[in-house]
């Protein structure tokens, strides 16, 4: 039987400092089931990636396919697909099966999930309301999420063209920040001020809505049969965050800000 190293949690759960609140929920859940999944013969990280994608896709379809209890089943599928998406990378590190093609598959399917869930959400709310605006909001939700990705990539390309050592410097800065924030986000039993600061630092990305938050919130609102609320949150949230990032990155490039060396968030 394969023994788990004493520091296995550090090996299989990536640092959460640069993660949103959705990841902070998903990774511990995936870690809890990791030892059981790792014992199943023939299960590979890529298989988990593909299975979670199909589970997630089924959940998206069930948002608007009217079968008994379709919204509840949809919520379960989407959330389980989200947990599977966190599980694949942990399984790869746990079994030392990491591969470049696995990372590529995971990241590209993550983006495709946003396309599927945005359009499915908009269409589902349109069927409930018969208001064409909801189709537009579903499209806008996905579009501005992808626009954030484009802003991130273009910013990185600009910096690479300016400084060929940009990626190396950025990696060094990331390691420095991770070490610093591990210290700054640790709680103290004697200092209320320090504990408040640690709490804010851990949850400073509360209002950023990425892949994990899409899955969790849509899963929850599907159970509540209030998909319209989720649609408005995502459509307006993605729009506001994309415009903010566009202005922020433009200003940083114009001023050659040292913050461009920080881990580049979309």
């Amino acid at each position: 039987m394969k023994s788990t190293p004493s520091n296995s949690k550090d090996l299989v759960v990536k640092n959460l400092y640069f993660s949103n609140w959705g990841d902070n929920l998903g990774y511990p859940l995936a870690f809890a089931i990791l030892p059981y999944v790792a014992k199943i013969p023939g299960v590979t990280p890529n298989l988990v990636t593909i299975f979670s994608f199909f589970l997630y896709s089924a959940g998206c379809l069930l948002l608007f396919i009217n079968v008994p209890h379709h919204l509840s089943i949809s919520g379960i599928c989407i959330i389980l697909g989200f947990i599977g998406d966190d599980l694949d990378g942990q399984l790869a590190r746990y079994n030392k099966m990491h591969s470049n093609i696995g990372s590529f598959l995971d990241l590209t399917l993550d983006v495709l999930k946003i396309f599927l869930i945005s359009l499915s959400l908009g269409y589902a709310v349109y069927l409930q309301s018969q208001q064409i605006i909801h189709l537009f909001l579903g499209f806008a939700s996905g579009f501005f999420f992808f626009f954030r990705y484009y802003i991130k990539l273009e910013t990185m390309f600009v910096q690479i063209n300016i400084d060929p050592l940009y990626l190396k410097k950025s990696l060094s800065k990331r390691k420095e920040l991770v070490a610093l924030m591990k210290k700054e986000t640790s709680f103290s039993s004697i200092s209320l001020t320090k504990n408040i600061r640690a709490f804010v630092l851990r949850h400073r990305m509360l209002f950023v809505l990425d892949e994990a938050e899409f899955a969790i919130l849509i899963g929850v609102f599907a159970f509540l049969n209030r998909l319209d609320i989720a649609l408005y949150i995502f459509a307006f949230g993605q729009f506001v965050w994309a415009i903010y990032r566009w202005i922020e990155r433009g200003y940083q490039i114009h001023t050659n800000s040292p913050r461009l060396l920080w881990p580049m968030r979309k």
Side-chain angles (χ1 to χ4, degrees), residues 189-236:
S189 60
I190 58 175
S191 173
L192 177 62
T193 302
K194 177 176 173 57
N195 286 342
I196 292 175
R197 173 177 170 78
F199 180 84
V200 171
L201 285 172
R202 285 189 176 189
H203 300 280
R204 71 207 176 289
M205 304 306 293
L206 181 63
F207 298 105
V208 178
L209 302 173
D210 288 335
E211 297 93 336
E213 290 73 31
F214 266 74
I216 293 174
L217 289 180
I218 291 179
V220 170
F221 283 114
F223 278 111
L224 298 175
N225 195 19
R226 290 307 307 266
L227 294 176
D228 55 326
I229 297 178
L231 178 61
Y232 280 99
I233 289 175
F234 289 124
F236 287 101

Side-chain angles (χ1 to χ4, degrees), residues 76-93:
I76 292 172
C77 288
I78 290 172
I79 290 177
L80 288 178
F82 151 66
I83 294 173
D85 185 50
D86 285 338
L87 178 63
D88 54 8
Q90 295 189 30
L91 182 63
R93 288 183 285 272

